[in-house]
Amino acid sequence: MTTTVSAYAATSATSPLTKTTVERRAVGPHDVAFDIKFAGICHSDIHTVKAEWGTPNYPVVPGHEIAGVVTEVGSEVTKYKVGDHVGVGCFIDSCRECDNCKAGQEQYCTGEYGMHGTYNSTERDGSPTYGGYSTAIVVDENYVLRIPDSIPLDKAAPLLCAGITLFSPLKHWNAGPGKQVAVIGLGGLGHMGVKLAHALGAHVTVLSQSLKKMEDGLRLGADEYYATSDPDTFTKLAGKFDLILNTVSANLSMGAYLGLLKTDGTLVELGIPEHPLEVPTFALAGGRRSISGSMIGGIPETQEMLDFCAEHDVTPEIEVIEASYVNEAYDRVLSSDVRYRFVIDASTI
C-alpha cells in the first residue's frame, strides 16, 4: 500500500518552496522504508529548483543528503532491519548490469536505464522520484547506506553528498602523506574536503577569495590558507600542488589555477559552474597537467567514506533548521552565509 508523506516542494524556478504531500510506494520484497530524520541542503538542490541545470520536472522535492531510521523492510531484505540508522545519497537506482555498475561505480552508470536520481528523476515504473525534504522514503536496499552508530544522524546527512563528493576524488588521486592538496572554496563542499584530506594525511591548503574564514580553515585541518584575490598568491604557490579540488560553482580563470599544479598535477572540477569552462591549452601542455571532473561516488565507496568518517571522527559543520526556514536558507547559501551546511530537521516538515 502506498503512503502519503509531508514534503516541501518547488513548483517553478521563481516560486518559493512550499509544504505539500507526495506518495511513497508500497514496500516491495527488496525495499527499505525509513523515517527521514534529517536532510541536508546541497547547492545542487538550488541549481535544480531554479532550473539552472535545465528545466526540471516540477514539482521538485529536493534533497539527496538523507539520514533516518528504518521502519519496515521487504520480505527478502538481508542488509537492514527495523531500527537501523541508514542514509540515501544522490541516486536510488541504476541499471545494475553495465561495467560501471558491476564495479560499484553506479554513479557513472552507462546502461539504458541509467543512474536514477533521488529527486527529479523516475522510479523503475516511471513514477517521479521525490527527495529528502520529506518525512519518509522507500528505497531498494542496494542503494541504502548504513550510518555508523558513532555519527549523529544530523551530521551524517551531508556526508551522503558533500562527504562523498570530496572523498571520491581524494581517494582516486591518492591523496595522502607526502601529497600537496589544495581546496578552492571553504563552503559546504570545501570544508569537507579540508577535513577529509587532513584525515588522509595530505598537506592541505585552502584557496579562498579572502582570508575571512582563515581561522576556521586552520581549525578544520588546513595547513595553509591563501586569498585568491591577492595576485601574489599565484606567484608564491606556482607549481606547488599535486591535486586541486575546485568546490565553487563559479567560472574561474583556469590558466591561473592550472599554474599552481606540479608537473602531472590534476585540477578536479566538483562545483559544476552553469557556463562552460574556458581552458588555455598551453597551461595544460606546459606541465602535462590535467583538468578532470568527479561526481559523488558509488555505493561501496560511499559506505567506505561513512566508515572512514566514523573511524577518524570526521563530520560536517552544520546548522540545523526547521523546514519552514528553507527559503531563507537558500538565500543564505547563495550569499555564502552558512558555516557550513544547512540541515533540515524533518520532524518540522
Side-chain angles (χ1 to χ4, degrees):
M1 188 174 76
T2 62
T3 55
T4 301
V5 303
S6 297
Y8 268 75
T11 56
S12 78
T14 55
S15 302
L17 277 75
T18 54
K19 190 170 181 178
T20 187
T21 60
V22 296
E23 293 296 311
R24 297 301 191 190
R25 70 171 183 263
V27 176
H30 294 282
D31 285 336
V32 173
F34 66 92
D35 285 343
I36 297 172
K37 299 300 183 182
F38 296 96
I41 293 178
C42 177
H43 206 144
S44 299
D45 301 343
I46 302 174
H47 285 306
T48 301
V49 302
K50 292 185 177 297
E52 293 172 351
W53 289 348
T55 304
N57 296 315
Y58 296 109
V60 174
V61 175
H64 55 209
E65 298 181 337
I66 307 170
V69 180
V70 176
T71 55
E72 183 181 353
V73 298
S75 59
E76 297 183 35
V77 169
T78 59
K79 299 179 182 179
Y80 302 101
K81 64 182 187 303
V82 172
D84 283 351
H85 287 190
V86 296
V88 168
C90 298
F91 57 93
I92 49 84
D93 208 346
S94 63
C95 85
R96 313 184 190 197
E97 297 174 353
C98 70
D99 289 344
N100 286 342
C101 281
K102 289 178 179 178
Q105 299 283 347
E106 298 94 340
Q107 77 275 30
Y108 301 127
C109 176
T110 58
E112 182 178 354
Y113 182 71
M115 181 194 81
H116 278 218
T118 303
Y119 64 86
N120 191 39
S121 186
T122 59
E123 302 276 6
R124 283 189 173 250
D125 64 2
S127 60
T129 58
Y130 298 114
Y133 299 9
S134 57
T135 56
I137 195 169
V138 179
V139 179
D140 184 286
E141 67 172 326
N142 293 300
Y143 298 83
V144 175
L145 287 306
R146 182 177 302 280
I147 296 174
D149 291 339
S150 62
I151 303 179
L153 288 178
D154 55 353
K155 293 194 172 187
L159 296 177
L160 277 304
C161 177
I164 187 57
T165 295
L166 275 298
F167 185 79
S168 186
L170 285 167
K171 291 289 286 187
H172 182 77
W173 277 278
N174 300 310
K179 292 293 183 74
Q180 293 279 349
V181 175
V183 177
I184 303 174
L186 193 68
L189 292 178
H191 92 287
M192 285 307 306
V194 170
K195 287 192 170 195
L196 288 164
H198 175 75
L200 287 164
H203 185 97
V204 187
T205 300
V206 173
L207 303 174
S208 184
Q209 282 187 304
S210 72
L211 299 178
K212 68 179 182 179
K213 295 182 182 178
M214 183 173 181
E215 184 177 344
D216 272 6
L218 297 176
R219 174 178 61 84
L220 296 173
D223 298 287
E224 302 179 57
Y225 199 110
Y226 291 90
T228 56
S229 57
D230 182 355
D232 289 343
T233 292
F234 292 91
T235 302
K236 184 172 184 179
L237 301 180
K240 178 180 176 70
F241 300 109
D242 299 286
L243 179 66
I244 300 176
L245 303 179
N246 180 19
T247 71
V248 303
S249 55
N251 286 76
L252 303 178
S253 173
M254 284 291 104
Y257 286 91
L258 287 169
L260 302 180
L261 290 170
K262 295 179 180 179
T263 301
D264 290 326
T266 302
L267 188 156
V268 183
E269 285 290 319
L270 302 172
I272 316 298
E274 181 179 359
H275 303 292
L277 299 175
E278 292 187 8
V279 180
T281 52
F282 278 111
L284 290 175
R288 201 165 58 195
R289 303 177 178 110
S290 301
I291 290 180
S292 189
S294 181
M295 185 175 71
I296 51 175
I299 295 298
E301 189 173 52
T302 305
Q303 189 63 60
E304 179 188 356
M305 176 273 305
L306 288 168
D307 296 339
F308 177 89
C309 288
E311 180 182 352
H312 296 271
D313 193 24
V314 175
T315 56
E317 309 286 304
I318 62 171
E319 181 177 335
V320 177
I321 62 169
E322 294 189 359
S324 60
Y325 189 73
V326 65
N327 294 295
E328 290 86 350
Y330 273 28
D331 290 339
R332 285 180 57 190
V333 170
L334 293 174
S335 61
S336 299
D337 181 26
V338 54
R339 296 192 179 183
Y340 282 89
R341 202 66 156 184
F342 284 120
V343 174
I344 298 169
D345 180 348
S347 70
T348 65
I349 296 176

